[in-house]
Amino acid sequence: MYGLIWRVLPGPWPVKLLLTLVLVAAVAAGLWFYVFPAIDPYMPFNDGAVEVEGG
Amino acid sequence: MVYTSERHSHRGSRGRGSRGRRRRHPEPPRERTGGDIARGIVRGFGELLFTAGLLMLFFAAYEVYGKQFETDREQDQLAQGLEDQWEQQEVRGPDSEPLPGSANSRLYIPDLDLQWVVVNGVSQEDIRYSPGHYGDDAVSGGDATAAGQPGNYAVAGHRTPGIFWDLDLLENGDQIVVEDAENFYTYEVIEERTVTPDQVEVVDPDPFNAENNEDPQRSLLTLTTCAPRLNNTHRLIIHAELTDTRPKDEGMPENIADMAPETQAAAGE
């Protein structure tokens, strides 16, 4: 999987490294700002912080 | 050309058995053998596990640091709306139904150096980024107590950093201050206990004596949150009793005076 990504990226290795870092940053930002806030309400350790259901 | 074809035939003659593997190893593989496929699968599986581990660690980091940031931002917005809220409340009359999710009061815990805007309502939506006041629908008798009045001003909050994370550090005698449109109410912690989620009597008008629920004598404050941390099997309950009421004209009580500048800045925005 990671090997495939490395092979698909164009250019010599410094370019590949740079592209990899950009990819990693983009994925991390997407998770942090969009995916995690979206799935957070469904996490069991948040639900039911109070005893009155739907109150 | 001759060399490669030779090598090819050489490999072929050796067959795909495991016996020839060790000698063949230094040469670059040209054909996919069963071993290559097996290694590919194992490697792919390992990479998946590795990725899943990274994702979970990253999510854990978000739960601790990212949410604190979101909470702070949301609190800033609520603080801006709080003064307006109080004015509207006056216009609409004190008995008017509060808007769910809107700001209700300000809560200070000087010993933990924490303060929040408390919203109306305790649904998941309401208390996502701030503590929420148990409204009329959420308490027995259907009549929630306003801050400072005889009865039980109950507030729920998540056990997340930025909200009620350190609530277990409170000790008896520690002060909790609630600010509404007119007064500062100082409460002192009188009891800390852990209950199961179905023990809803902790937010009753008189959690210590159910017979007084119709006509509560004591002015209490109750904070509820998850226990243990990042789990929801129990609830941590803090009970506090009113010790002092101070009109806003007289300024902030001394116990929270050092928290004033931030508050005023937030209110002035």
Side-chain angles (χ1 to χ4, degrees):
Chain A
M1 184 168 65
Y2 292 112
L4 183 73
I5 295 172
W6 186 254
R7 259 170 288 159
V8 165
L9 290 174
W13 74 263
V15 179
K16 284 182 184 230
L17 185 68
L18 191 72
L19 285 172
T20 307
L21 289 178
V22 169
L23 261 184
V24 167
V27 169
L31 286 171
W32 189 273
F33 292 107
Y34 298 101
V35 179
F36 289 166
I39 64 172
D40 175 64
Y42 302 104
M43 290 293 121
F45 44 79
N46 282 332
D47 283 350
V50 295
E51 46 267 60
V52 180
E53 299 296 332
Chain B
M1 186 62 184
V2 172
Y3 174 70
T4 47
S5 67
E6 254 178 16
R7 191 166 59 172
H8 188 73
S9 65
H10 166 79
R11 283 178 109 198
S13 69
R14 280 286 169 182
R16 282 160 196 181
S18 56
R19 249 189 273 165
R21 222 186 220 174
R22 209 170 278 170
R23 267 186 232 168
R24 238 177 33 232
H25 188 67
E27 296 174 14
R30 309 207 58 210
E31 250 177 64
R32 297 189 101 200
T33 63
D36 286 337
I37 294 172
R39 270 189 294 277
I41 291 172
V42 170
R43 184 186 297 122
F45 188 61
E47 285 179 345
L48 274 182
L49 289 181
F50 173 77
T51 310
L54 271 185
L55 281 180
M56 285 177 205
L57 269 181
F58 197 49
F59 184 60
Y62 170 79
E63 280 297 312
V64 175
Y65 299 106
K67 274 182 84 172
Q68 177 139 36
F69 177 75
E70 301 239 332
T71 302
D72 291 347
R73 200 184 52 187
E74 191 73 12
Q75 284 285 309
D76 277 352
Q77 282 182 1
L78 283 170
Q80 288 176 28
L82 186 60
E83 303 290 328
D84 296 340
Q85 207 71 45
W86 281 336
E87 275 168 32
Q88 277 180 20
Q89 196 75 15
E90 264 168 51
V91 173
R92 289 157 66 222
D95 293 330
S96 60
E97 205 46 25
L99 300 169
S102 61
N104 175 280
S105 65
R106 213 176 255 135
L107 180 70
Y108 303 84
I109 303 186
D111 291 294
L112 303 180
D113 195 26
L114 289 170
Q115 58 163 299
W116 307 271
V117 172
V118 179
V119 299
N120 292 305
V122 290
S123 72
Q124 290 297 324
E125 197 83 338
D126 296 329
I127 62 172
R128 193 156 172 209
Y129 298 116
S130 53
H133 175 225
Y134 285 83
D136 291 344
D137 301 333
V139 300
S140 76
D143 193 13
T145 309
Q149 303 307 308
N152 191 2
Y153 185 78
V155 175
H158 281 311
R159 196 71 180 276
T160 52
I163 306 185
F164 285 173
W165 184 256
D166 284 329
L167 210 61
D168 55 323
L169 300 181
L170 281 175
E171 290 169 3
N172 286 356
D174 283 355
Q175 289 176 324
I176 301 172
V177 178
V178 177
E179 173 190 0
D180 72 359
E182 286 103 37
N183 299 304
F184 289 100
Y185 307 99
T186 302
Y187 294 84
E188 269 182 27
V189 177
I190 53 173
E191 191 178 329
E192 178 178 334
R193 56 176 165 160
T194 304
V195 301
T196 51
D198 57 343
Q199 289 177 269
V200 294
E201 65 270 19
V202 296
V203 298
D204 279 356
D206 189 337
F208 300 108
N209 187 350
E211 287 174 13
N212 288 343
N213 275 349
E214 289 300 312
D215 183 24
Q217 304 299 314
R218 305 163 80 182
S219 298
L220 299 170
L221 170 87
T222 299
L223 306 180
T224 70
T225 192
C226 281
R229 286 193 179 109
L230 295 183
N231 214 322
N232 65 349
T233 56
H234 290 76
R235 300 289 179 267
L236 175 69
I237 308 296
I238 305 280
H239 290 303
E241 185 158 15
L242 185 70
T243 56
D244 181 53
T245 301
R246 184 188 177 98
K248 279 189 153 178
D249 320 335
E250 296 177 21
M252 296 183 84
E254 277 169 33
N255 50 9
I256 56 165
D258 56 322
M259 299 168 119
E262 200 187 332
T263 312
Q264 242 114 55
E269 275 173 25

